[in-house]
Every structure is written in structure tokens, then in C-alpha cells.
Amino acid sequence: MTLTRRQAVALLLGLPFASAGCARRGRRPIPAQLLGGSMALGHRLKQPLPDLRELAVRSTEVAIVGGGMAGLSAAWWLRRQGVGELQVFELEGQLGGTSSYGLTGVVPHPWGAHYLPMPRAEHESLCALLAEMGTLSRAPDGSWQARENELVREPEERLCVCGEFVEGLIPGALLTTDDRVQWSRFDAELARWVRFRDAAGRRAFTLPLDQGSDAPELQELDRITAREWLTRHRLTSPRLLWWLEYGCRDDYGCTLDTTSAWALLFYHAARVTQPGEESAPFLTWPEGNGRIVRHLESQLTGALTAGALVLSVTPSEQYVELLVYHPRTDRYERWRAAHAILAVPQFIVARLLPGERARASAFSYSPWLVANLHLHRRPASRGYPMAWDNVIYGGSSLGYVVATHQTLRDDGPTIWTYYQPLTDAEPRAARARLAVAEPKTTVAALLHEFREAHPDLESCLERVELWHWGHAMIRPVPGMIFGPERRAAAKPVGRVHFAHTDLSGVALLDEAHAHGVRAASEILALRRGSPEGPRAGQLTNRDSAERMRP
């Protein structure tokens, strides 16, 4: 069968051809625009490099390639520890990676990650960052507490079942007696893993991930799929499986057949302290995790260069040389740094450091479509009132979050951020379909997704902005978490260090931040151990501990 672009989009979203292709004939046009990264510019990494040996050389102490959360966290930590000379290079015109944000419309809004679970006190650097932002403060007993208006307010979640919304994300009205029995058995299994401690006292699942256990029974979970583990435990309820797969699609862009059993349990157990307790509360802002990006940008004045493509990274014994291209001015630069951090995914590392190419093949990434729907009024809905997170039971998407929710504006104009993971077993095929998705037909597909939940949505739409994430999230497929490639990829190569959330196997801000701080700390340790002693502005280990305290 030969597919038109319109039909390709229908397949992209799992909709019938007629629904996506013909549903909007004769209706008013809805302005739709595709924003996001430049695929053509990124593919320039595949082209031969020019000979620029005669070009003048600029220098810095630390060069950081990638301005996502890992790169920004590394730069923030280095600055916090007294390193003044550093430079961050980001390909896109905006920093933040999948935590980037938009400013057009009634409020700022996310283009990707839109919340952060309250971190555990053991994640000291992340707590220090949030305290610096004013998000966290010390309670009288010394524990961390969050600012009230930055915790997700009620109502938090709702689920549309057969055209009517209910509270929470569990389709309670559809559950049979057997469904409830199986749900209880899954909860019991989960409680067992929350209680688990290995011989060293480590939890089975925690954040940051490197503080968790690598016991043999956990490595066994990583070798099988989530579906296989559920089948072994006779957990077959369609409603339970939908709910569990929703979590896999939400955090990983995977299905039960492509997620490891370890990753399935990690999603539900990593943020629970004791069996039966609620998961850690969520911190959020209108622009999602873009609020953290905005703070980091404000702390790194003079060190950030957006719209710069690093074409090559060449390490030597004395320094690391980088070739940088600025597409807006069509000019090249040569940089030399004492140390470099590659805060980019492994498929980019493979382009910049060809010697790492074989290892990169073990990493795969799920593509996503994100849409921001600008509404001049709120569409009608039945049942439970509008929540922060709104999901459609049985839908192909993850639903939408409401950017104005934290502002206490429950009426009037708003922005909905819609998330659509492409969960093909072969991500390359999904990326190919995403590449031909035209804005106007994607809008038709979105309206089809919402047809029962919000029948009047089309009349409320002012415009739609779209973002294609070709490599949005690392996929924790079986063998990824405890595989040798993931652990080896984090090890420095001479003066080049690595920091990215894919080095954890799960795409979470907590992990991106942890890897950024780790890579920065590796460089700090090397500088402090140099024969000439600490340089001006360097801190001792005691000074570092003092700076941790807000």
C-alpha cells in the first residue's frame, strides 16, 4: 500500500484513515505550526569536516557540549565550586533539551518534561539546587519541605472513561472482582520490592539510580520484559495491564513488550519510602521543568552559547580541541579546553568521538510528538472537574497537562500540553513516520483523540504548536540497566567526561542532574589533584560541603 502523508499521520497516532484524513473538510482552518529542533542541522554531523587548522584558537577551562539538564547542571556545579572559565555549547537556539519551554500565549508552557517528584534528602545536589531556587527550605526538624504553590494542587489527575471523567487514573467503574484481586496482588509484589534491602543496605529502586542495589535478583528483572514478568505472576487483567503500560509509555515511550521488568517496577517503587505510602509529591510550574532551566540560565551568565553545533571533539594529553559551527553567521571556531563534558546522548557521542561508536549501538531512543494547544476558552467535559493531568482511557496518547493549573485560573484562556509517544518496537520506523507528519493533519488526529472527552474542543482552539522529538527518551529495554555498555559509557576518555540521562537508562531530570554533577566532580577532583595545587577559587572538600548548605 502506498500511503499519503495524511495517511501516514493517521498511522502515527493509531487512528483510522478516514478520521484523520477527512474529519475536518469544510471547517475553519486552525493555525498550526511545527517548531522544534533542526533535523537538517543535526545531520550536518554526518558530513566531512572542513580543514580549519589555520583558524585562531579560543580557550576555556571546561567546555560542555549540550545545554540540556545534564550540561546545565554540570556548569552550575562547576560555577558553584569556583570554576569561572567554562563554556556551554547548545545546538538549538534554546537551552533545556527536553525540559525546554515556550513563552508565547497566556502563560509559559512546557515542550517536554513538566514535573519533578520531590527528591529524597540523599540527592543532596538536587536539593541544593531547588533550595537555591527557593522551591525547598528546611523544616524545623531539619527535613526538606517544598513551597506550597510549587506542589501540584488539587485536582491532580482525572481519567476519561466512555466520555465521562473520573478522579485518578484507575478506571474504577470498569473493574471486575478479578481485576481488584489482581491489583491487590500487584500491590503486594510492589510492597515486597519497596521493603527490599541488599547486603549493603541498599534499596532495590531509588533515585539517583546509582544509589540503588545491583543484587542478582534485580539483574534478573532486567533480563526479561515487563510482559513476561506479569505473565509469570498471573497478572493478566486488561485494566491493570492498561494502567501499567500507561506508566511505561509515560516515562519510557515503551510498551510492556519492550520495557524491562526492572524498569516497570522502578517506575512504581523508586519514589515510595515505605510499603503502602503515597509516592513522592510532584513539583511543577506553568512551564514545567523549564522553570529549573530558567534558573540555571540566570546563574550561568556569560557561559552559555546557544545555536552552536559542535562538529568534532579531539582529545589529547594536554587539552581537548573542539570545532564549533555557528549556522546563523556561517562561521567556524576552534576551542581548546583543559577538560570537556559531552552532555549529549550516545548517538551524538558516536559522531563526535568515533571510537565510541560500537558502544552507542546498545542505546535506543523513543520518538515523541508534543503539542501545545492554545485555547481561548475551556472546552466542556462531563464528570470530574478539570485537573492538572488529564488522560483518556484507551487513547493512543498520554493526554494533556494544563499550563494554567498552578496559577489558580480555572476559567478563561489556557494552554494544554499534549503528549504522544511513538512506541514502535523499532523506533527508526516511528521516526520516519514522524518526519512526514504535517501540522494540519496532526491537528485533525488530535481532535479525533479528544472527540468523546471534549466534543467542542475545535471551537475553543486558537492555534496549535507542535514539536517533534526524534530521540526524546532512552528506552530501558531488557538488558539495558545492568548491561556493560551503559556503565562503560559513563567512564571518562582521557580529558573527556560524559553526562546525560541515557547513562542511567531512564529519562528523568533527577538522573540528568546527577550525571552532570558527577562529570563536573570528576573534573574538580583532577584539578585539585594537580601537581601545582589548587588554583584561585578552588575549594577544598570541606568548602564543598559548606556550599551544599543553602
Side-chain angles (χ1 to χ4, degrees), residues 19 56 83 131 183 228 308 312 331 363 370 393 410 433 438 507 524:
S19 298
V83 179
W183 227 291
E228 185 176 351
S312 67
R331 64 186 176 88
F363 294 74
V370 178
Y393 178 71
D410 293 331
R433 292 201 309 279
E438 294 180 346
L524 290 167

Side-chain angles (χ1 to χ4, degrees), residues 409-436:
R409 303 178 200 168
D410 293 331
D411 294 298
T414 189
I415 299 173
W416 290 358
T417 306
Y418 166 95
Y419 296 89
Q420 174 72 53
L422 281 69
T423 57
D424 300 47
E426 176 43 65
R428 181 176 296 182
R431 276 191 285 276
R433 292 201 309 279
L434 189 63
V436 301

